[in-house]
C-alpha cells in the first residue's frame, strides 16, 4: 500500500505541475484573440491560423487540466444526496464511480483517439481552411489529456482505498463553497474600506 | 431482454438520473452512462458495433468549437474585474446620486446591477459587492431588511440574462443559433426585467415609505460647498451629452456613412456622447471651472470604465468588429488594463484568475464532452424520437409545450446548475421546440430568464448564498452612528427573495405572451447576422457591416472555407442561419 501511495503522490505532483503550467495558456488565448480582432480591424490582415491557434490553446487548457481539475475535486457533482453521507461513505461512492465510470470512459476515449492522432500525423494532415494549421498537435492533446485523467483517476482511487482501509487520511478535498467567496469578500471589503 | 430492447430510451434516461444522483462528477457519470448503454445496445443488436468509432470525431467537434472559447474569456474577465474596485466606486457614487429620493438606494442597486451585468456575466461578484457596500448603508438608514436583501440578490442575478452572459452564449451554441442574435433577443427582456424590479422598488417607496427611506442630509457626502445637492448638474451633463451624440450622428456620421445600420449608429453616437461627457468633466476638473457639481463630475468618472468595457465587449460585437468570442477576449484585455491602471493587478491575482478559469472551463467543457458521449448512444437508440413524442403529445400545442417545459426547467433548476441544464436538457427539448415552430432565439431567452430564478430561489439559490456570506450574521456596531444593529437573519434573506422570484415568473409569462420582446432581433438581422455569418466562415477579407451586395455574392456561392472541424453536425445550424438570412433579405 505504501508503494501505491507513493505512486499516487507522484501522479498528484505531476498533474499539479502540469495544471499550473498550462493555465498560462488562458492568458495567451485571451491576448491572441483580442490581438487578432484588433489587428484585423485596423490593418485588415487576418489568417485562419490565428483563429485556429485560439482553440488549439483552449483545447490544451481543458484537456491537459482535466487531471488537475480532478485532483482539486472541481468536476461538478450533484451532491444533494451524497453530501449528507459520512466521509467513509463518500469515499466508497468515489471508489465505485472511479472504477465503473471514470476509468472505463477515459480509457476508451484514450484508446480510440490514439489512432485518430496517428492518422493525422502519418498523413501530415493540414486543416482544410486557407492558411490552416497542422492538425496532429491538437489531435495529440486528446490521448495525452485522457491519459492524464486516467492517471489521476488511479491516484484518487489509491487514496480512497487507503482511507477506507484505515491506511491513509481522508483524501476528499471538500469545497466549502463559501470559502472562495469569503476570500473575495475579504478583498472587496479591503477595497471598500480603503475608499469609503 | 425484449422489454429492454423495446424501451431502451426511457430505461437509458432513468439510468441517467440514477447515475447522476450517485453524486459522482456529472461529466464522467454522463459519459459512462452513454458507454454502458451503448455497449448494451450493441449487444442487443440495436446499435452498430462501430458506434464508438465516432467518438474522437465528436470530441474534435467540441475542441474546434469557437463559441466555447467565450467561457474562459468571460470567466477570466469577471475574475479580474471583481477585484478591480470598479463595482465599489460605482455603488458608492450612484448611491449618492439616487440616495436623496425615497427608495433611492434600491434604484442605485438595480441600476448598478444592470450596468455590471452588461460588462460581464458573473453573479457572485455583483452580489458580494452590493452586500458589502450597499447593504450596510441601507441598514443604517432603516431599510426593511427583506426588501434590501431581496433587491440586492435579484439585481446581482441580472448578469445571467443581460448580454454578454455565459448562459446566452451556451444557449446559442446548444440551440444552433448565432450568439449575436441571442444577445439582440435578450436585450429587451433583460432591460424589461430590470425595469420590473425598479417598478417594484418604486411601488415599495410609494406604498411602504418606511421600508426605503431617503438618505438623510448628513449622509450625502458629495454635496457642494454651498450645501446644494449638485443633482441638477448631473441632468445638465446628461442632456448635453445626448445632444452631442445626436449632433455627431446627424451632422458627422450619417453624411459620411449614409448606409450605416441603426445599431452601428447607436453604438457610435453613444460613444461620442460618453466622450463628450468625459471631456467636459476632465476640463472642469483640470481648470477648476466649477461649472459642474462635484456629484456630476464623480458620476461621469465612475461611469466611464464600465461604459468603456461595455463598448469593448458589446459595442465591438454589434459594430461587427469582433465575434462574440473575440468580444470576450477584448473585455478580458480591457479588464486587465483597467486593473493595471488602478494598481490592483498583481501576479498573484492573475495567477488566481487563470487557475480558477482553467478549472471552471475544464469542468464545463467536460460536461459537454460527457453529454456528447451520452447523446451518441441516446440518439442511436432513438431517444430523441421518444422525447419528441413525449413532448409533442402534450395538449395545447406550442403554448402547452412552453408551459410544461418552463415548469420542468423551473423545478430542475433547484438541483441542476445552468451548465448541466444547458448541456443535458436543452439539446433534448430544442429540436422539439423547433419542430413546433417556436423561434429558437425566443425559446433560448425564455429558458435563460427561467434559469435565472435558480440563483434566487431559497434555499439553494446561489445569489442568496453569496449574500448570506457577506451580510452581518451577528449583532454589530455601526461604525458611523455607533448604534447597535441587529443581524440579518437567513429567514429575512429567503423571504426577501420571494417577491423577486414572483417577478421573475411574471417575466417568463410576459415573454411567452409577447414574443416580440425577443423577436426584435430579426428586425436588425441584416447587420448583426451578416457579420456573424461572414466571420464564422472566415473569409480572407475582414467583414464590413452593411454591404449587402457583397453578402449576396457570398451566399450565392458555397462558403469559401467551410472547414470547422471536418464533418461536424455544427454545419446544419449554420446552413439554417443562412437560409434564415436569405429569407430576411428577400423580404427586404
Amino acid at each position: 500500500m505504501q508503494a501505491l501511495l507513493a505512486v499516487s503522490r507522484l501522479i498528484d505532483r505531476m498533474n499539479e505541475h502540469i495544471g499550473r503550467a498550462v493555465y498560462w495558456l488562458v492568458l495567451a488565448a485571451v491576448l491572441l484573440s483580442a490581438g487578432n480582432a484588433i489587428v484585423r480591424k485596423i490593418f485588415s490582415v487576418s489568417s485562419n491560423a490565428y483563429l485556429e491557434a485560439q482553440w488549439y490553446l483552449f483545447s490544451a487548457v481543458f484537456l491537459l487540466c482535466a487531471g488537475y481539475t480532478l485532483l482539486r475535486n472541481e468536476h461538478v457533482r450533484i451532491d444533494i444526496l451524497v453530501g449528507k453521507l459520512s466521509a467513509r461513505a463518500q469515499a466508497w461512492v468515489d471508489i465505485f464511480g472511479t472504477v465503473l465510470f471514470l476509468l472505463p470512459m477515459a480509457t476508451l476515449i484514450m484508446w480510440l483517439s490514439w489512432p485518430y492522432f496517428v492518422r493525422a500525423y502519418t498523413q501530415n494532415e493540414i486543416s482544410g481552411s486557407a492558411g490552416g494549421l497542422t492538425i496532429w498537435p491538437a489531435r495529440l492533446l486528446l490521448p495525452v489529456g485522457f491519459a492524464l485523467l486516467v492517471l489521476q483517476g488511479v491516484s484518487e482511487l489509491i487514496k480512497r482505498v487507503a482511507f477506507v482501509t484505515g491506511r491513509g487520511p481522508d483524501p476528499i478535498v471538500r469545497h466549502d463553497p463559501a470559502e472562495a467567496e469569503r476570500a473575495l469578500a475579504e478583498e472587496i471589503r479591503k477595497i471598500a474600506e480603503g475608499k469609503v | 431482454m425484449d422489454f429492454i430492447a423495446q424501451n431502451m430510451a426511457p430505461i437509458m434516461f432513468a439510468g441517467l438520473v440514477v447515475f447522476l444522483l450517485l453524486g459522482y462528477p456529472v461529466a464522467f457519470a454522463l459519459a459512462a452512462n452513454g458507454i454502458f448503454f451503448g455497449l448494451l445496445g450493441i449487444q442487443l443488436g440495436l446499435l452498430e458495433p462501430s458506434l464508438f468509432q465516432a467518438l474522437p470525431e465528436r470530441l474534435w467537434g467540441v475542441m474546434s468549437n469557437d463559441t466555447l472559447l467565450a467561457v474562459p474569456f468571460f470567466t477570466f474577465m469577471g475574475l479580474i474585474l471583481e477585484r478591480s474596485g470598479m463595482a465599489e466606486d460605482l455603488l458608492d457614487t450612484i448611491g449618492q446620486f439616487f440616495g436623496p429620493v425615497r427608495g433611492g438606494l434600491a434604484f442605485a442597486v438595480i441600476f448598478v446591477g444592470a450596468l455590471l451585468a452588461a460588462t460581464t456575466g458573473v453573479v457572485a461578484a455583483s452580489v458580494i459587492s452590493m452586500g458589502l457596500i450597499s447593504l450596510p448603508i441601507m441598514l443604517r438608514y432603516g431599510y426593511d431588511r427583506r426588501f434590501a436583501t431581496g433587491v440586492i440578490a435579484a439585481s446581482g442575478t441580472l448578469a445571467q440574462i443581460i448580454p454578454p452572459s455565459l448562459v446566452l452564449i451556451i444557449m446559442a451554441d446548444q440551440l444552433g443559433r448565432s450568439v449575436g442574435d441571442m444577445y439582440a433577443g435578450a436585450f429587451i427582456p433583460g432591460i424589461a426585467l430590470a425595469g420590473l424590479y425598479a417598478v417594484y422598488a418604486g411601488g415599495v417607496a410609494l406604498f411602504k415609505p418606511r421600508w426605503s427611506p431617503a438618505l438623510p442630509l448628513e449622509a450625502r457626502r458629495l454635496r457642494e460647498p454651498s450645501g446644494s445637492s449638485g443633482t441638477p448638474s448631473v441632468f445638465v451633463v446628461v442632456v448635453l451629452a445626448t445632444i452631442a451624440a445626436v449632433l455627431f450622428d446627424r451632422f458627422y456620421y450619417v453624411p459620411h456613412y449614409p448606409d450605416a445600420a441603426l445599431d452601428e449608429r447607436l453604438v457610435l453616437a453613444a460613444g461620442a456622447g460618453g466622450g463628450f461627457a468625459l471631456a467636459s468633466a476632465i476640463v472642469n476638473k483640470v481648470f477648476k471651472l466649477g461649472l459642474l457639481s462635484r456629484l456630476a463630475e464623480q458620476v461621469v468618472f465612475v461611469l466611464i470604465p464600465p461604459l468603456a468595457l461595455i463598448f469593448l465587449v458589446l459595442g465591438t460585437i454589434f459594430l461587427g468588429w469582433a465575434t462574440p468570442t473575440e468580444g470576450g477576449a477584448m473585455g478580458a484585455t480591457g479588464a486587465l488594463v483597467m486593473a493595471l491602471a488602478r494598481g490592483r493587478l498583481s501576479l498573484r491575482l492573475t495567477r488566481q484568475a487563470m487557475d480558477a478559469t482553467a478549472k471552471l472551463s475544464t469542468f464545463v467543457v467536460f460536461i459537454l464532452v460527457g453529454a456528447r458521449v451520452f447523446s451518441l448512444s441516446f440518439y442511436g437508440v432513438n431517444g430523441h424520437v421518444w422525447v419528441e413524442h413525449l413532448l409533442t403529445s402534450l395538449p395545447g400545442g406550442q403554448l402547452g409545450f412552453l408551459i410544461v417545459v418552463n415548469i420542468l426547467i423551473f423545478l430542475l433548476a433547484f438541483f441542476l446548475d445552468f451548465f448541466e441544464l444547458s448541456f443535458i436538457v436543452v439539446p433534448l427539448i430544442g429540436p422539439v421546440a423547433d419542430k413546433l415552430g417556436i423561434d429558437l432565439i425566443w425559446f433560448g431567452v425564455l429558458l435563460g430568464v427561467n434559469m435565472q430564478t435558480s440563483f434566487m430561489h431559497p434555499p439553494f439559490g446561489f445569489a442568496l448564498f453569496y449574500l448570506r456570506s457577506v451580510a452581518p450574521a451577528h449583532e454589530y456596531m455601526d461604525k458611523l452612528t455607533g448604534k447597535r444593529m441587529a443581524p440579518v437573519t437567513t429567514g429575512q434573506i429567503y423571504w426577501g427573495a420571494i417577491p423577486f422570484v414572483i417577478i421573475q415568473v411574471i417575466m417568463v409569462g410576459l415573454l411567452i405572451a409577447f414574443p416580440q420582446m425577443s423577436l426584435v432581433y430579426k428586425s436588425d438581422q441584416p447587420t448583426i447576422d451578416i457579420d456573424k455569418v461572414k466571420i464564422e466562415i472566415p473569409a480572407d477579407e475582414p467583414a464590413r457591416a452593411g454591404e449587402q451586395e457583397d453578402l449576396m455574392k457570398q451566399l450565392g456561392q458555397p462558403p469559401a472555407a467551410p472547414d470547422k472541424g471536418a464533418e461536424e453536425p455544427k454545419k446544419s445550424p449554420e446552413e439554417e442561419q443562412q437560409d434564415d438570412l436569405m429569407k430576411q433579405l428577400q423580404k427586404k
Side-chain angles (χ1 to χ4, degrees), chain B residues 379-425:
Chain B
Y379 284 47
V381 298
N382 284 327
H384 55 303
V385 180
W386 171 67
V387 171
E388 193 185 311
H389 182 72
L390 212 63
L391 290 176
T392 44
S393 57
L394 291 170
Q398 270 197 15
L399 190 64
F401 169 80
L402 285 175
I403 291 172
V404 169
V405 162
N406 273 296
I407 293 175
L408 184 77
I409 296 274
F410 186 82
L411 295 178
L412 282 177
F414 279 96
F415 314 104
L416 301 178
D417 69 19
F418 82 85
F419 288 120
E420 291 153 355
L421 285 171
S422 321
F423 290 138
I424 303 171
V425 181

Side-chain angles (χ1 to χ4, degrees), chain B residues 256-287:
Chain B
H256 282 77
Y257 303 93
D259 338 312
L262 182 65
D263 46 6
E264 188 178 330
R265 282 169 51 197
L266 276 177
V267 170
L268 289 172
F276 172 81
L278 179 63
S280 47
I282 290 176
V283 168
N284 187 62
K285 189 171 177 93
V286 173
F287 297 106

Side-chain angles (χ1 to χ4, degrees), chain A residues 23 34 40 48 55 68 74 76-78 82 93 98 105 109 112 116 181 185 187-189 193 195, chain B residues 22-24 26 31 52 57 59 63 66 83 88-89 132 321 326 333 351 355 363 416 420 466 479 538:
Chain A
Y23 67 48
R40 191 184 55 218
N48 285 312
W55 62 258
Y68 175 63
E74 295 236 11
V76 33
R77 307 162 179 257
I78 297 175
V82 187
V93 165
T98 310
M105 155 264 170
I109 294 178
L112 290 171
Y116 190 59
E181 269 63 51
E187 292 204 17
I188 291 181
R189 188 169 287 144
E193 279 170 3
K195 174 149 39 255
Chain B
L22 280 174
Y24 198 67
V26 172
F52 293 123
E57 199 67 59
L59 297 185
M63 290 169 71
D66 299 325
R83 284 170 159 87
E88 290 67 37
D89 284 352
L132 282 171
W321 296 356
E326 288 166 344
T333 313
R351 292 187 79 115
D355 187 40
F363 89 62
L416 301 178
E420 291 153 355
Y466 299 140
K479 276 186 209 140

Side-chain angles (χ1 to χ4, degrees), chain B residues 9-21 29 33 37 374:
Chain B
I11 293 173
M12 189 170 169
F13 195 77
L16 175 69
V17 175
V18 174
F19 275 39
L20 289 180
L21 283 180
N33 182 278
F37 283 96
F374 170 77

Side-chain angles (χ1 to χ4, degrees), chain B residues 131-429:
Chain B
L132 282 171
I133 310 254
S134 304
L135 185 60
I137 305 178
M138 291 166 129
L139 297 181
R140 182 181 303 148
Y141 298 112
Y143 266 62
D144 177 77
R145 278 142 196 271
R146 292 180 188 174
F147 175 60
T149 52
V151 83
I152 288 176
S155 303
T157 63
L158 284 175
Q160 290 294 304
I161 192 67
I162 293 181
S165 93
L166 280 183
V167 182
L168 295 173
I169 294 172
I170 290 187
M171 202 66 82
D173 180 59
Q174 292 297 304
L175 291 170
R177 286 293 182 264
S178 90
V179 178
D181 280 357
M182 198 58 95
Y183 280 178
F187 226 93
I188 294 181
I191 304 285
L193 192 57
L196 284 182
Y197 292 170
V199 167
Y200 174 70
V204 166
L206 266 182
F207 299 110
K208 296 268 185 191
R210 295 183 48 201
W211 282 14
S212 56
L215 279 187
L217 219 54
E218 72 270 13
R220 303 178 195 165
R221 284 181 297 99
L222 291 175
R223 271 182 306 160
E224 295 301 286
S226 66
S228 68
S229 67
T231 314
S233 180
V234 177
F235 289 109
V236 171
V237 175
V238 171
V239 170
L240 287 179
T242 313
I243 294 174
V246 172
L247 289 180
F248 169 82
D249 186 55
R250 277 290 133 74
F251 295 108
Y252 175 77
Y253 202 68
V254 172
H256 282 77
Y257 303 93
D259 338 312
L262 182 65
D263 46 6
E264 188 178 330
R265 282 169 51 197
L266 276 177
V267 170
L268 289 172
F276 172 81
L278 179 63
S280 47
I282 290 176
V283 168
N284 187 62
K285 189 171 177 93
V286 173
F287 297 106
K288 301 209 169 57
L289 294 179
L291 291 176
L292 297 177
S293 65
R294 275 174 69 199
L295 180 68
E297 210 177 270
Q298 196 64 28
V299 166
V300 171
F301 283 133
V302 295
L303 281 181
I304 290 301
L307 291 180
L309 284 175
I310 293 174
F311 173 78
L312 270 184
V313 178
L314 290 178
T316 52
I317 296 172
F318 284 110
L319 287 176
W321 296 356
T323 61
T325 305
E326 288 166 344
M330 302 273 262
T333 313
L336 280 172
V337 171
M338 202 182 77
L340 195 67
R342 290 167 170 254
R344 294 204 190 278
L345 190 69
S346 61
L347 184 63
R348 196 176 126 260
L349 169 60
T350 317
R351 292 187 79 115
Q352 247 177 13
M354 289 187 301
D355 187 40
T357 305
K359 285 184 294 195
L360 182 128
S361 22
T362 303
F363 89 62
V364 170
V365 177
F366 264 78
I367 297 177
L368 180 60
V369 167
R372 293 304 214 104
V373 180
F374 170 77
S375 66
L376 183 68
S377 303
F378 193 63
Y379 284 47
V381 298
N382 284 327
H384 55 303
V385 180
W386 171 67
V387 171
E388 193 185 311
H389 182 72
L390 212 63
L391 290 176
T392 44
S393 57
L394 291 170
Q398 270 197 15
L399 190 64
F401 169 80
L402 285 175
I403 291 172
V404 169
V405 162
N406 273 296
I407 293 175
L408 184 77
I409 296 274
F410 186 82
L411 295 178
L412 282 177
F414 279 96
F415 314 104
L416 301 178
D417 69 19
F418 82 85
F419 288 120
E420 291 153 355
L421 285 171
S422 321
F423 290 138
I424 303 171
V425 181
V426 172
L428 291 177
I429 55 180

Side-chain angles (χ1 to χ4, degrees), chain A residues 12 24-25 64-65 94 110 135 152-153 160 185 189-190:
Chain A
D12 287 2
W24 283 95
L25 300 183
L64 300 182
C65 284
D94 277 359
M110 180 179 74
I135 283 179
Q152 194 56 46
R160 278 164 185 65
R189 188 169 287 144
K190 270 187 225 143

